[in-house]
Amino acid sequence: MTDALSSISGLQRGLLSDQIYDLVKTMIKTSQLAPGEQLVESQLARRLQVSQAPVRDALKRLAHEGLVTHVRHQGNFVAQYSDEEAQQAKQARVAVEALAGRLACGRLASEARSSLEKVIDEMHGAVDAADLPAFRELDFAFHRAVIEASGNTYLPRMWDIIEPSLRSMHLLGDPEFTGDWHQVADWHRSLLDVLDAGDAAAASALFEAHAAGTLLDGEPDAKTDAAG
């Protein structure tokens, strides 16, 4: 199992299974735990200085959400994704983002809008610094913020399920993208503008096109999709 957990200090008092669940989930989403990596209950418990029971409970929750796969007689593993599953995740992303755009349109609080503006500015800063990992995290942060702004409590949960596959397949922030990353950041400004415009159908259509990778001249472009 990865050494990423070796630097984690003891957990705070409280419901341990919840804290372990949040910790492992975050490490999966940020790729600190790689797809296919084994999650050994006893090792996790020892490194986190807890018993195995809360670790087992946390892994069961993650397995229920599809982030962890339990293999009988072998243990728990970070979920891996086939090409077909990646395509399905892309389709799910398109549907989730189209709905989020529709629901968030015209209802962004000033604080949320300012936060999204800051993310876009930081995207441009990351491009100037040639810091693709930072750009990628900002890209994910933007889309998650819009999904949370939709007001639908189920959409963030759905995003949590598909996000690891989007990350593992580089469906956002693809390092092989050869286009203009400043343009990718500007696409997000267009997304923000359409949320302010008050036309829910237009917002839904633009978010759908962005997620599907059809923003350039209306034609599908896999690299465009992977960029943002």
Side-chain angles (χ1 to χ4, degrees), residues 172-214:
L172 278 81
D174 188 347
E176 296 184 6
F177 176 68
T178 58
D180 184 352
W181 286 102
H182 279 298
Q183 183 183 34
V184 177
D186 286 336
W187 291 340
H188 292 78
R189 194 172 301 280
S190 297
L191 293 173
L192 181 55
D193 289 343
V194 79
L195 292 179
D196 286 334
D199 186 335
S204 179
L206 188 60
F207 271 85
E208 180 176 345
H210 179 82
T214 57

Side-chain angles (χ1 to χ4, degrees), residues 11-224:
L11 299 175
Q12 299 177 352
R13 296 181 63 182
L15 189 55
L16 292 176
S17 63
D18 285 350
Q19 295 181 61
I20 297 167
Y21 163 83
D22 289 336
L23 173 64
V24 177
K25 181 176 183 178
T26 296
M27 295 181 76
I28 292 173
K29 288 169 60 178
T30 57
S31 302
Q32 291 175 270
L33 292 170
E37 187 165 347
Q38 187 168 15
L39 302 171
V40 182
E41 287 182 12
S42 59
Q43 291 182 15
L44 279 167
R46 184 166 59 253
R47 290 184 177 181
L48 297 174
Q49 301 177 5
V50 298
S51 68
Q52 287 186 223
V55 173
R56 187 177 303 115
D57 289 343
L59 294 179
K60 284 181 179 178
R61 288 178 62 187
L62 291 165
H64 179 72
E65 294 182 1
L67 300 178
V68 167
T69 300
H70 178 76
V71 180
R72 186 177 177 86
H73 301 312
Q74 295 185 40
N76 295 291
F77 300 83
V78 178
Q80 298 186 83
Y81 305 95
S82 65
D83 290 344
E84 181 180 1
E85 289 169 326
Q87 181 63 26
Q88 291 174 353
K90 175 183 173 181
Q91 292 171 345
R93 177 200 172 191
V94 170
V96 168
E97 294 223 46
L99 179 55
R102 177 182 296 276
L103 295 177
C105 183
R107 58 175 294 166
L108 276 183
S110 59
E111 182 178 348
R113 195 190 194 290
S114 296
S115 178
L116 289 170
E117 285 274 15
K118 182 180 179 182
V119 169
I120 296 168
D121 290 340
E122 290 177 351
M123 281 179 157
H124 284 291
V127 177
D128 291 336
D131 189 348
L132 178 56
F135 187 99
R136 191 177 188 223
E137 291 307 312
L138 291 164
D139 197 345
F140 275 102
F142 180 94
H143 290 280
R144 173 153 194 115
V146 172
I147 286 167
E148 291 178 346
S150 71
N152 185 309
T153 59
Y154 286 92
L155 292 188
R157 302 182 200 177
M158 296 171 70
W159 183 258
D160 281 343
I161 293 172
I162 65 175
E163 182 177 337
S165 62
L166 299 178
R167 287 179 177 276
S168 66
M169 299 297 176
H170 296 295
L171 293 182
L172 278 81
D174 188 347
E176 296 184 6
F177 176 68
T178 58
D180 184 352
W181 286 102
H182 279 298
Q183 183 183 34
V184 177
D186 286 336
W187 291 340
H188 292 78
R189 194 172 301 280
S190 297
L191 293 173
L192 181 55
D193 289 343
V194 79
L195 292 179
D196 286 334
D199 186 335
S204 179
L206 188 60
F207 271 85
E208 180 176 345
H210 179 82
T214 57
L215 282 179
L216 292 180
D217 300 326
E219 293 296 331
D221 184 331
K223 289 300 180 185
T224 301

